[in-house]
Structure formats: structure tokens, C-alpha cells
Amino acid sequence: MSQYKINEVFESIQGEGSFTGVPSIFIRLQGCPVGCPWCDTKHTWTIDPMLERSRDVVMAEQAESEHWFTHSVEQLLALFAAQGYQAKHVVISGGEPCMYDLVPLTSHLITLGYSVQIETSGTYEILTHVDTWVTVSPKVNMPGGKPVLASAMQRANEIKHPVAMEKHIEELDQVLKLLPATNKPLIYLQPISQQKRATELAIKVCIQRNWRLSLQTHKFIGIE
């Protein structure tokens, strides 16, 4: 029976990429060795057995925490029901969700009528149901030293790239070379931390390349 280490589960509105504005259930998995300096979920990086807690303890926490709990697919669905969640779109993120085999979880959700999206750095093989929407946010030259995989880029339905300066556009251009000419995922640029310079750069390049702008809408309106 598949078990997943979970940092948090909550219901909100998707604020980024193609599903911006869609009511969603977020499952944030624990563990990530990529080491992005600007990461806003660094509390999900480490899987420390000493920080495992019960589901009820983790779900009751009101602030970001390194605590995590373990659940099976069946237990997660029971949690959805217990919380009274209404959204029919599920976003699996992290951490790095592709450290896990997501086939059992995504297959079960899709069978039950949910649409499913995963958000990954592209540094792990993607094991998920064929109908999962895959958002790759390629993490290039990060401190963890893990390369972006061609197989991950080729599985992407959308590519969402954080940018702050020109070198980030150059890095994206390099990993886009991993795509065959027939692959045409949606490409979004997302300004890091809503910085003015980053936003201006993203807008300029989106217009030049006919790409799309992704703003972290949830941060502008003050929700998780």
C-alpha cells in the first residue's frame, strides 16, 4: 500500500499557471533535495523522522511547519471527506512530489472524477497517471546539483519558470532544447517574489516570445 509523507493538505484557489482561479485541494508532500535559494516552502525540504506527527496535529497547525504525517491513498480520501472539501481539482506539490511514485494516488483521484495536477522541478522521473496535468518548473543549476531531465520536460503540459534576471531566461532556453520540435507545452514566466524588475523582464519576454505571464495571484489576494 502506497504511503505518502505529507506536510499539509488544504483547500484554496490555484494562484499560478493554467489553472489560476480554479478551486483546488492542495497536497504538499515532504522532502526536496533541489535547494532553490528563493524557495518559499523550505520547511518541506527535510524528511526527519523526529518531526513526524499525527495527522490531527499537523492539520491543526496554523503556521508553516517542518512537521509531517504519513497517509495512504485511502486515508487521504477519508481526510478530504472529513474536512468537507468541495473542490474537484487536486494539486500535488512539495517539496518535490516526484520523489514519490504518484501513480496510485493520481489514478485513484482521477477514477473518482477529480482532475489532478502535479508541480515538479523536473529533476526526477515523473511517475503519474497519464491524464495528470504536469507542470514543470525546471530548476537549473540549483545547489542540490540535480539536472533537469529530458523525460520530465517532454512530459510537461506546461512549463512555469521563475525569473528575476536575464540569466534565468538563458537557463530556460537551454532546457527547452530538451523538447522535440513536436512538443508544444504552454510556457509561463513567473516573476520571483513579485519584484518590479523581475515583473518587467517577464512581461517583456512574454510579449517577445508569445509566452504567458504567471502571477502568484494567491499572494496578491492574501490566501494560501
Side-chain angles (χ1 to χ4, degrees), residues 83-221:
Q83 294 294 114
Y85 293 153
Q86 298 298 308
K88 297 299 288 183
H89 183 67
V90 176
V91 181
I92 305 171
S93 65
E96 172 46 69
C98 291
M99 290 174 60
Y100 299 84
D101 180 355
L102 298 174
V103 172
L105 176 56
T106 55
S107 297
H108 199 70
L109 289 167
I110 288 169
T111 297
L112 292 175
Y114 291 92
S115 59
V116 181
Q117 173 187 10
I118 65 173
E119 299 182 350
T120 174
S121 65
T123 59
Y124 280 81
E125 294 293 342
I126 297 172
L127 303 176
T128 191
H129 187 280
V130 66
D131 291 334
T132 302
W133 180 273
V134 176
T135 301
V136 175
S137 184
K139 299 304 188 293
V140 183
N141 299 325
M142 291 295 115
K146 297 186 69 63
V148 175
L149 303 180
S151 62
M153 291 293 291
Q154 292 163 12
R155 177 62 181 82
N157 298 101
E158 68 178 358
I159 295 168
K160 179 164 57 70
H161 193 60
V163 296
M165 56 191 73
E166 290 285 352
K167 77 168 187 175
H168 297 136
I169 305 299
E170 295 167 2
E171 290 169 350
L172 177 58
D173 283 336
Q174 287 302 308
V175 293
L176 288 177
K177 292 178 181 178
L178 299 172
L179 293 175
T182 53
N183 277 44
K184 299 293 183 182
L186 301 174
I187 300 177
Y188 287 85
L189 297 184
Q190 185 162 292
I192 293 175
S193 302
Q194 295 85 47
Q195 298 170 4
K196 184 175 186 292
R197 184 179 67 171
T199 302
E200 290 172 349
L201 172 64
I203 291 170
K204 180 187 75 172
V205 176
C206 283
I207 292 171
Q208 289 173 344
R209 309 274 189 103
N210 201 29
W211 290 347
R212 301 184 181 197
L213 184 69
S214 174
L215 300 177
Q216 292 178 297
T217 309
H218 54 294
K219 293 186 177 180
F220 284 105
I221 62 178

